[in-house]
Amino acid sequence: MNTSTDFKKFLPNANWINGHWITAESGASIEVTNPADGTIIGQVPNCGAAETGSAIDAARQAFEKYSHSDINTRVRLLRELHDGLMDQQEALARLLTAEQGKPLAEARGEIAIGAAYILWFAEEIRRTKGELIPSPTSDRRLMVTHHPVGVVAAITPWNFPSSMLARKLGPALAAGCTVVVKPASATPYSALAWGVLMEEVGFPPGVVNILTGSAAAIGSTIMSSPHVRKVTFTGSTAVGKQLIRQSADSVKKISMELGGNAPFLVFDDADLDAAVEGAMISKFRNMGQTCVCANRIYAQAGVHDAFVSKLSAAIEQLTLGPGSEPDVTQGPMIDMAAVEKVETLIGDALQQGGKVVVGGQRHKLGGTFFEPTLVTGVTERMQFATEEIFGPVAPVLRFDHEEEVVAAANRTEYGLAAYIYTQDMARIFRLNESLDYGLMGFNTGLITTVEAPFGGLKESGIGKEGGSQGLVDYLATKYVCIAGLG
């Protein structure tokens, strides 16, 4: 394993299109900064419609050959990509921490699970079988076959800029699709690093193209192109809805992993120590900037006070600082807008009788560091109940009965993740049926794994990523009827 911490090789101030590193035709660029101290990491091209068109053309031409490549060839390339990610794990993790802010331990974990997704889909493509259907007549044979859907556009977020790309590249490349990637402008280098690795591994030119720049110009070109047959997006529900509307004109296949408003339910019979541990993992991972974070914590009346006391003590043990420093568990938030949103939500709660038990302020480190916060006395009237926080704030609501908290948990347009702590097996099965969420963790705060499907219900998205289901959206299914065999 390469243990080098130097990530300079993963800072190309260029985009990866058709096997070449190119700059924007206009010469314009975007500064990328470290949220921990505001220093400039580098500059990436500010590309637009022209470069996007070139990337789509490159992917379309590469698809003609790559889509017919042997499975063994694709599996070999993906395995070598996996090995490259793990060989460079430390450097890639430090790059991720530098541009996104998360603690280094979390960044290492993100690189590792991204590599695991690549390996999973390299294995899973071998298990994607067709079907022979019994024919109603003896002179016919009926078959179902699967084929790569075509050119894929992948639009990825800033909070998990490496692993979210892995969840899209893995199934697309395994299926035989070619890809145009648009990463978030706040964290573009973690995506461009994949271009560096793919060049080293030897992926054919045009199979993967990565471009940075104007979200509006790049996005509109992608959505209007008849050559892009699938769009996969991770981001806000508002942007996802816009992309869904735009996809209608050319009837693109879409998968959307959108916003969340995860309830975290703690019942009287819960193991409180386990519940606190789960809440800390779910709520404060990546400074609360994940779509599956516990957004509303409901504690049943019988354990409410004890749970709050234990959770408060755990929060006070968190260590803030630049993510690259040893023992840091909480880094900076991504930008000042994120900080201001958190302050607005806390202010709304305080005006309506909520109480800050821990934190509640910008941290003395300055910048976008914000104290991990616990708020009690939260009610359904507060903005906490309806808005995605996306920050290190844990609002706790008290409840009395199961029916009451199920209704409250479902009272949202979102349906991504839910967490439940209880020792009652009958309740577990009841809640599995009554809670409207695509991902549910019972007695655990960390549920994502490459072997299982990831995706929400309602306005939290369309389609699944991960698991055997993760390949479905990258395949076109054909029915074949062969007659005249009598």
Side-chain angles (χ1 to χ4, degrees), residues 89-400:
Q89 181 184 18
E90 188 64 22
L92 291 168
R94 290 183 178 275
L95 167 63
L96 176 53
T97 292
E99 68 173 352
Q100 200 275 336
K102 66 182 59 180
L104 191 54
E106 292 187 20
R108 293 188 185 107
E110 179 172 343
I111 302 304
I113 195 171
Y117 273 111
I118 296 299
L119 185 59
W120 166 262
F121 285 111
E123 298 168 342
E124 189 64 14
I125 191 61
R126 295 189 184 278
R127 298 188 285 268
T128 304
K129 300 179 178 67
E131 184 180 5
L132 287 175
I133 303 171
S135 172
T137 60
S138 61
D139 66 335
R140 296 185 174 208
R141 297 295 182 269
L142 313 179
M143 297 189 301
V144 173
T145 58
H146 302 294
H147 310 264
V149 71
V151 175
V152 172
I155 304 173
T156 56
W158 55 261
N159 58 340
F160 290 93
S162 188
S163 63
M164 294 301 96
L165 181 52
R167 289 205 312 217
K168 302 174 190 305
L169 284 179
L173 296 174
C177 300
T178 55
V179 190
V180 175
V181 177
K182 164 62 175 80
S185 293
T187 54
Y189 284 119
S190 288
L192 291 169
W194 285 76
V196 175
L197 291 172
M198 287 181 167
E199 184 177 21
E200 293 179 352
V201 167
F203 274 85
V207 170
V208 175
N209 307 272
I210 307 170
L211 68 157
T212 57
S214 167
I218 294 173
S220 62
T221 305
I222 285 171
M223 300 311 294
S224 63
S225 172
H227 302 301
V228 176
R229 296 312 312 145
K230 173 181 168 56
V231 175
T232 172
F233 169 75
T234 299
S236 72
T237 296
V239 174
K241 288 180 178 179
Q242 181 180 349
L243 295 175
I244 292 170
R245 295 186 193 101
Q246 292 173 344
S247 71
D249 288 340
S250 53
V251 195
K252 299 185 192 305
K253 200 169 188 178
I254 55 173
S255 56
M256 299 279 148
E257 200 266 281
L258 308 177
N261 189 357
F264 189 102
L265 315 182
V266 183
F267 286 89
D268 283 343
D269 63 344
D271 178 333
L272 287 191
D273 290 333
V276 168
E277 180 183 2
M280 293 298 294
I281 293 171
S282 173
K283 176 69 260 183
F284 293 102
R285 184 166 58 103
N286 199 25
M287 293 74 75
Q289 299 172 125
T290 87
C291 55
V292 294
C293 269
N295 207 65
R296 299 164 290 156
I297 300 176
Y298 294 89
Q300 198 164 13
V303 296
H304 175 277
D305 292 351
F307 174 77
V308 167
S309 176
K310 287 176 176 287
L311 184 60
S312 173
I315 293 172
E316 290 176 338
Q317 296 304 307
L318 293 173
T319 302
L320 271 72
S324 57
E325 293 185 0
D327 302 322
V328 164
T329 57
Q330 293 282 284
M333 297 185 70
I334 189 65
D335 55 30
M336 194 54 66
V339 172
E340 292 170 352
K341 178 182 178 181
V342 163
E343 289 178 325
T344 298
L345 294 174
I346 294 173
D348 170 75
L350 293 178
Q351 289 179 359
Q352 299 187 60
K355 178 184 177 183
V356 171
V357 178
V358 179
Q361 304 289 331
R362 299 186 189 189
H363 195 268
K364 61 184 179 182
L365 289 171
T368 59
F369 287 94
F370 197 88
E371 296 175 345
T373 300
L374 174 63
V375 182
T376 59
V378 177
T379 69
E380 297 292 335
R381 298 187 305 273
M382 297 176 184
Q383 293 176 11
F384 280 138
T386 57
E387 294 191 25
E388 189 173 20
I389 299 170
F390 236 66
V393 181
V396 180
L397 301 86
R398 184 191 299 262
F399 75 94
D400 293 309

Side-chain angles (χ1 to χ4, degrees), residues 39-100:
T39 57
I40 297 173
I41 300 171
Q43 297 180 333
V44 297
N46 188 3
C47 291
E51 296 86 352
T52 308
S54 297
I56 293 171
D57 286 343
R60 177 175 57 83
Q61 293 172 22
F63 179 77
E64 296 301 319
K65 185 175 181 179
Y66 186 72
S67 62
H68 292 95
S69 61
D70 294 339
I71 283 184
N72 282 343
T73 298
R74 283 178 263 150
V75 168
R76 175 183 59 79
L77 288 169
L78 288 169
R79 284 185 174 275
E80 290 180 6
L81 179 59
H82 163 271
D83 293 347
L85 286 161
M86 293 309 297
D87 285 346
Q88 298 289 335
Q89 181 184 18
E90 188 64 22
L92 291 168
R94 290 183 178 275
L95 167 63
L96 176 53
T97 292
E99 68 173 352
Q100 200 275 336

